[in-house]
Amino acid sequence: MGAGIFTQAGTYAPTLGVLGAVVGLIAALADMSDTEALGHAISAAFVATLLGIFTGYVLWHPFANKLKRKSKQEVKVREVMIEGILSILEGQAPKVIEQKLLMYVSPSERSSIVIPEGEKGETNNG
Protein backbone atom coordinates (compact mmCIF):
# COMPACT_ATOMS: atom_id res chain seq x y z
CA MET A 1 0.00 0.00 0.00
CA GLY A 2 2.84 2.40 0.82
CA ALA A 3 4.47 1.74 -2.54
CA GLY A 4 1.24 2.70 -4.27
CA ILE A 5 1.41 6.19 -2.81
CA PHE A 6 4.90 6.73 -4.20
CA THR A 7 3.93 5.20 -7.55
CA GLN A 8 1.05 7.66 -7.83
CA ALA A 9 3.32 10.54 -6.80
CA GLY A 10 5.78 9.49 -9.50
CA THR A 11 2.98 9.37 -12.04
CA TYR A 12 1.54 12.77 -11.18
CA ALA A 13 4.76 14.71 -10.51
CA PRO A 14 5.75 15.25 -14.19
CA THR A 15 2.19 16.30 -15.00
CA LEU A 16 2.22 18.79 -12.15
CA GLY A 17 5.58 20.09 -13.39
CA VAL A 18 4.14 20.70 -16.84
CA LEU A 19 1.08 22.32 -15.26
CA GLY A 20 3.42 24.62 -13.31
CA ALA A 21 5.17 25.48 -16.56
CA VAL A 22 1.88 26.34 -18.26
CA VAL A 23 0.76 28.54 -15.37
CA GLY A 24 4.18 30.20 -15.29
CA LEU A 25 4.10 30.87 -19.02
CA ILE A 26 0.58 32.30 -18.79
CA ALA A 27 1.81 34.65 -16.08
CA ALA A 28 4.88 35.52 -18.16
CA LEU A 29 2.88 36.28 -21.28
CA ALA A 30 0.35 38.38 -19.38
CA ASP A 31 2.76 41.33 -19.34
CA MET A 32 5.28 41.14 -22.15
CA SER A 33 6.35 44.77 -21.85
CA ASP A 34 8.80 43.99 -19.00
CA THR A 35 11.41 41.79 -20.69
CA GLU A 36 13.41 41.21 -17.50
CA ALA A 37 10.36 39.87 -15.65
CA LEU A 38 9.44 37.86 -18.74
CA GLY A 39 12.81 36.06 -18.65
CA HIS A 40 12.46 35.25 -14.95
CA ALA A 41 8.91 33.96 -15.40
CA ILE A 42 9.89 31.74 -18.33
CA SER A 43 12.87 30.30 -16.43
CA ALA A 44 10.61 29.62 -13.42
CA ALA A 45 8.20 27.80 -15.73
CA PHE A 46 11.01 25.54 -16.99
CA VAL A 47 12.25 24.94 -13.45
CA ALA A 48 8.74 23.74 -12.54
CA THR A 49 8.87 21.24 -15.40
CA LEU A 50 12.35 20.11 -14.44
CA LEU A 51 11.39 19.59 -10.79
CA GLY A 52 8.26 17.68 -11.72
CA ILE A 53 10.11 15.30 -14.01
CA PHE A 54 13.07 14.95 -11.64
CA THR A 55 11.01 14.14 -8.55
CA GLY A 56 8.81 11.71 -10.46
CA TYR A 57 11.54 9.65 -12.07
CA VAL A 58 14.44 10.12 -9.68
CA LEU A 59 12.67 10.14 -6.31
CA TRP A 60 9.12 8.78 -6.23
CA HIS A 61 9.35 5.83 -8.65
CA PRO A 62 12.60 4.50 -7.10
CA PHE A 63 11.06 4.80 -3.61
CA ALA A 64 8.04 2.82 -4.80
CA ASN A 65 10.21 0.15 -6.39
CA LYS A 66 12.29 -0.22 -3.24
CA LEU A 67 9.17 -0.59 -1.10
CA LYS A 68 7.80 -3.22 -3.50
CA ARG A 69 11.05 -5.21 -3.27
CA LYS A 70 11.04 -5.03 0.51
CA SER A 71 7.42 -6.12 0.62
CA LYS A 72 8.16 -9.17 -1.54
CA GLN A 73 11.06 -10.09 0.76
CA GLU A 74 8.83 -9.78 3.83
CA VAL A 75 6.20 -12.02 2.24
CA LYS A 76 8.87 -14.63 1.46
CA VAL A 77 10.18 -14.57 5.04
CA ARG A 78 6.66 -14.95 6.44
CA GLU A 79 5.92 -17.86 4.10
CA VAL A 80 9.06 -19.63 5.31
CA MET A 81 8.11 -18.97 8.93
CA ILE A 82 4.59 -20.29 8.44
CA GLU A 83 5.88 -23.38 6.63
CA GLY A 84 8.34 -24.04 9.45
CA ILE A 85 5.79 -23.53 12.20
CA LEU A 86 3.22 -25.77 10.49
CA SER A 87 5.87 -28.46 9.99
CA ILE A 88 6.79 -28.33 13.67
CA LEU A 89 3.13 -28.53 14.66
CA GLU A 90 2.71 -31.57 12.40
CA GLY A 91 5.60 -33.24 14.25
CA GLN A 92 7.88 -33.59 11.26
CA ALA A 93 11.49 -34.52 11.81
CA PRO A 94 13.98 -31.64 12.02
CA LYS A 95 15.90 -32.90 8.95
CA VAL A 96 12.67 -32.96 6.90
CA ILE A 97 11.83 -29.43 8.05
CA GLU A 98 15.36 -28.29 7.19
CA GLN A 99 15.12 -29.71 3.67
CA LYS A 100 11.65 -28.25 3.20
CA LEU A 101 12.75 -24.76 4.28
CA LEU A 102 15.94 -24.86 2.21
CA MET A 103 13.73 -25.06 -0.88
CA TYR A 104 12.78 -21.41 -0.25
CA VAL A 105 16.45 -20.39 -0.47
CA SER A 106 18.22 -19.90 -3.78
CA PRO A 107 21.03 -22.37 -4.61
CA SER A 108 23.66 -19.66 -4.22
CA GLU A 109 22.31 -18.79 -0.77
CA ARG A 110 22.15 -22.47 0.25
CA SER A 111 25.89 -22.84 -0.19
CA SER A 112 26.47 -19.99 2.26
CA ILE A 113 24.33 -21.57 4.99
CA VAL A 114 26.61 -23.29 7.47
CA ILE A 115 25.07 -26.23 9.30
CA PRO A 116 27.13 -27.52 12.26
CA GLU A 117 28.73 -30.94 11.68
CA GLY A 118 26.67 -32.67 14.37
CA GLU A 119 23.42 -31.49 12.77
CA LYS A 120 24.09 -32.44 9.15
CA GLY A 121 22.63 -35.90 9.62
CA GLU A 122 25.82 -37.48 8.27
CA THR A 123 28.38 -39.49 10.17
CA ASN A 124 32.06 -39.18 9.47
CA ASN A 125 33.64 -42.61 9.88
CA GLY A 126 37.14 -41.48 9.31
Side-chain angles (χ1 to χ4, degrees), residues 69-84:
R69 275 193 312 277
K70 286 190 167 287
S71 180
K72 285 180 183 179
Q73 289 172 343
E74 286 179 14
V75 167
K76 182 179 176 182
V77 167
R78 290 179 188 203
E79 286 175 353
V80 172
M81 289 171 54
I82 290 170
E83 185 69 37

Side-chain angles (χ1 to χ4, degrees), residues 13-67:
T15 305
L16 291 175
V18 171
L19 181 63
V22 170
V23 170
L25 289 175
I26 290 171
L29 298 175
D31 183 21
M32 292 184 53
S33 61
D34 186 2
T35 56
E36 186 175 323
L38 180 66
H40 289 293
I42 290 173
S43 66
F46 285 121
V47 167
T49 304
L50 177 68
L51 288 176
I53 292 170
F54 176 82
T55 59
Y57 293 110
V58 177
L59 295 178
W60 309 131
H61 280 298
F63 285 167
N65 292 335
K66 184 174 184 177
L67 286 175

Side-chain angles (χ1 to χ4, degrees), residues 2 4 6-7 11 13 30 33 38 40 59-62 68-69 74-75 78 88 106-107 110-112 115 117 126:
F6 288 108
T7 299
T11 301
S33 61
L38 180 66
H40 289 293
L59 295 178
W60 309 131
H61 280 298
K68 288 175 188 176
R69 275 193 312 277
E74 286 179 14
V75 167
R78 290 179 188 203
I88 291 169
S106 70
R110 281 185 217 151
S111 64
S112 67
I115 301 171
E117 281 296 320

